[in-house]
Amino acid sequence: MNDLFPLGKLPPEFLSQILKQAPCDDPRVILGPGIGLDCAVVEVGETCLVFKSDPITFASDEIGWYAVQVNANDIVTTGATPRWFLVTSLFPAARTTAGDVERIAGQLFEACRSLGISVIGGHTEITHGIDRPIIAGTMIGEVPRDALITPKGASPGDRILLTKGVPIEGTAILAREFPDKLARFCTPDEIQAAGDYLYDPGISVVKDARIAVQAGKITAMHDPTESGLAGALWELAEACGHTLVIDSQAIPISSISRKICVAFEINPLETIASGALLLTCPSQDALLVCQTLQAEGIHCVEIGTVEVGPPQVWQQIAGKRTLLHYPQRDEIARVFER
């Protein structure tokens, strides 16, 4: 009980035990805390309000822009439109200037303007005990009750789709935070391109989600953040209560991302992966959804199926199934520890 936790998310089993103790008795709460349930949903008449709270802890460059994108990403996985944003900004004592505050506030405000989101409040202070700015945001969205999508909706027979590839966010963070380390493995142009993954292909999935829900019936969506795609698949399996079977060889991983993961000796499937959208849909809708996303310039592939069975994730390689490793924390956390 007294062992120290490592850097990163809490172990899933421990977190699940903690969340089960949370009071959540209001009958208007449609979706409360739970593994794989990234958003809270509260019913208000014929409309649902969707809430998401997320900090930025690994990245330091463009931190304000990051904060808006990652919160908006989770909101749109419910089919909701991001509307309002509250942000808590903590700055380190004895090393923060007015320019630092203005720079990050500018990033936040510009990102919100680009998505049509209103900043409605929050808190800003200089505090002790931290060595760099920490941003924690709360995003609120809204969606008609009959258009709500949750991770619980994935059903046996559904196809599992993935947009863009992985790990987009991990690639950008490592290139921006540790360019000197990468200089031994990548060319300057590759390091620049990897850092630009923040914008191209980009860590936002707002456009991906909007196109997908218009193209066909979407039963579930999930945003692979900490613990990467592997963690997201396990969270989705636990949320929907079914077995997922994945073709690992179908998962898109760019050559630059592979090279960076090799340089840091990390698993690309277990590395923070904002920018990819994981979604499920009935088999008859899968091709149309993929084609529609492709037509809009967003790469999308089918990577697996939902099957009857316990909440587990299996990978199929050369006709043989093996249990996919359930990451206890993100690979990038080990890089920061080193």
Side-chain angles (χ1 to χ4, degrees), residues 312-333:
Q312 296 177 342
V313 183
W314 293 81
Q315 58 182 341
Q316 188 159 313
I317 302 175
K320 182 180 180 181
R321 289 187 180 184
T322 59
L323 199 63
L324 184 70
H325 179 249
Y326 192 163
Q328 297 298 297
R329 60 174 181 151
D330 198 282
E331 286 280 80
I332 210 170

Side-chain angles (χ1 to χ4, degrees), residues 80-318:
T81 300
R83 298 292 191 195
W84 307 281
F85 192 55
L86 298 96
V87 59
T88 296
S89 303
L90 305 178
F91 292 89
R95 57 193 304 176
T96 299
T97 67
D100 295 329
V101 178
E102 290 174 344
R103 175 176 52 83
I104 291 177
Q107 295 169 6
L108 286 161
F109 298 160
E110 180 56 33
C112 284
R113 285 192 192 97
S114 70
L115 294 173
I117 296 166
S118 295
V119 177
I120 61 172
H123 177 79
T124 304
E125 73 169 68
I126 311 298
T127 189
H128 63 86
I130 59 175
D131 60 4
R132 59 179 178 172
I134 298 292
I135 304 295
T138 297
M139 189 80 72
I140 306 168
E142 59 181 353
V143 61
R145 179 67 180 88
D146 59 2
L148 178 66
I149 299 168
T150 80
K152 294 184 177 183
S155 301
D158 284 353
R159 305 302 186 189
I160 303 170
L161 310 181
L162 182 73
T163 69
K164 297 174 184 166
V166 296
I168 294 171
E169 185 177 6
T171 299
I173 289 175
L174 292 171
R176 288 170 174 265
E177 299 290 327
F178 305 105
D180 293 341
K181 162 74 173 177
L182 284 176
R184 293 186 293 136
F185 301 90
C186 303
T187 67
D189 286 346
E190 287 175 329
I191 295 173
Q192 179 65 48
D196 289 345
Y197 267 36
L198 191 64
Y199 308 106
D200 183 17
I203 65 168
S204 173
V205 297
V206 172
K207 183 178 178 181
D208 310 39
R210 287 174 176 169
I211 293 171
V213 297
Q214 292 171 0
K217 179 178 176 57
I218 304 300
T219 55
M221 291 189 283
H222 197 38
D223 173 33
T225 51
E226 281 192 58
S227 298
L229 179 60
L233 288 165
W234 274 99
E235 289 175 354
L236 179 60
E238 292 191 18
C240 72
H242 303 299
T243 294
L244 308 185
V245 180
I246 304 301
D247 177 2
S248 298
Q249 295 177 322
I251 298 169
I253 303 173
S254 73
S255 59
I256 292 179
S257 292
R258 285 190 185 278
K259 186 176 286 190
I260 287 176
C261 288
V262 168
F264 287 97
E265 299 179 345
I266 59 177
N267 185 340
L269 299 187
E270 299 181 14
T271 300
I272 192 166
S274 292
L277 178 63
L278 183 66
L279 52 95
T280 62
C281 63
S283 58
Q284 63 268 25
D285 289 78
L287 180 59
L288 179 58
V289 172
C290 282
Q291 290 178 336
T292 304
L293 284 161
Q294 296 275 17
E296 293 293 333
I298 299 173
H299 186 54
C300 182
V301 296
E302 182 177 319
I303 64 167
T305 57
V306 182
E307 297 187 0
V308 174
Q312 296 177 342
V313 183
W314 293 81
Q315 58 182 341
Q316 188 159 313
I317 302 175

